[in-house]
Amino acid sequence: MRNLPEQMKVCIELCWQCRNTCQDTFYNHCLDQGGDHVAHDHALLMTDCIQACQTSADFMVRDSAHHMAECMACAEICEACAASCDSFDCDEMKRCAEICRRCAQSCRDMSHMDAKVPVAAE
């Protein structure tokens, strides 16, 4: 990832980790468990979180001038997903909630960071 600030690189990595964890948890745990694990609102939050994290990472990787707005939306979605995952009493969902909270904080921090990175002299 070219000359992106370290804070942005960390956020991109957390977004990818959150996306992967939510995706793995939803498809390999929630769907197997059934019941409340696949309730409409929870399923939507999990899939929203997967997509929001991917989109935020994409915006930052390409140094989009709009990454701040996308990161703020991602932070809100990750917080909601964490709260939903925390309502379950199992290690898989607690692990998912934890990465969602970490990603949310990082994205919230990134939502205040300017997009344009200085270009190195050639």
Side-chain angles (χ1 to χ4, degrees):
M1 289 180 272
R2 50 184 173 64
N3 297 324
L4 298 175
E6 190 60 30
Q7 182 182 6
M8 188 177 283
K9 290 177 184 177
V10 168
C11 190
I12 291 165
E13 286 297 325
L14 282 169
C15 282
W16 285 335
Q17 288 176 24
C18 189
R19 176 210 57 209
N20 291 343
T21 301
C22 284
Q23 188 167 284
D24 183 59
T25 302
F26 183 68
Y27 290 109
N28 296 311
H29 177 71
C30 292
L31 292 181
D32 288 345
Q33 295 297 308
D36 289 342
H37 282 83
V38 292
H40 185 261
D41 289 346
H42 177 70
L44 286 179
L45 270 175
M46 294 282 295
T47 54
D48 283 352
C49 191
I50 293 163
Q51 186 63 56
C53 290
Q54 180 64 55
T55 302
S56 288
D58 290 347
F59 271 55
M60 288 183 282
V61 165
R62 67 176 176 259
D63 198 20
S64 170
H66 302 286
H67 86 271
M68 293 181 296
E70 183 58 37
C71 284
M72 182 51 77
C74 186
E76 291 176 18
I77 293 166
C78 284
E79 284 293 340
C81 189
S84 184
C85 289
D86 268 338
S87 70
F88 296 92
D89 190 27
C90 60
D91 291 342
E92 293 86 354
M93 300 310 290
K94 299 298 181 194
R95 205 171 13 255
C96 191
E98 177 58 31
I99 189 63
C100 285
R101 281 190 292 276
R102 290 177 56 215
C103 185
Q105 183 57 57
S106 184
C107 280
R108 192 169 290 104
D109 293 344
M110 285 306 305
S111 72
H112 304 292
M113 184 178 201
D114 289 335
K116 290 300 161 200
V117 176
V119 177
E122 294 181 28

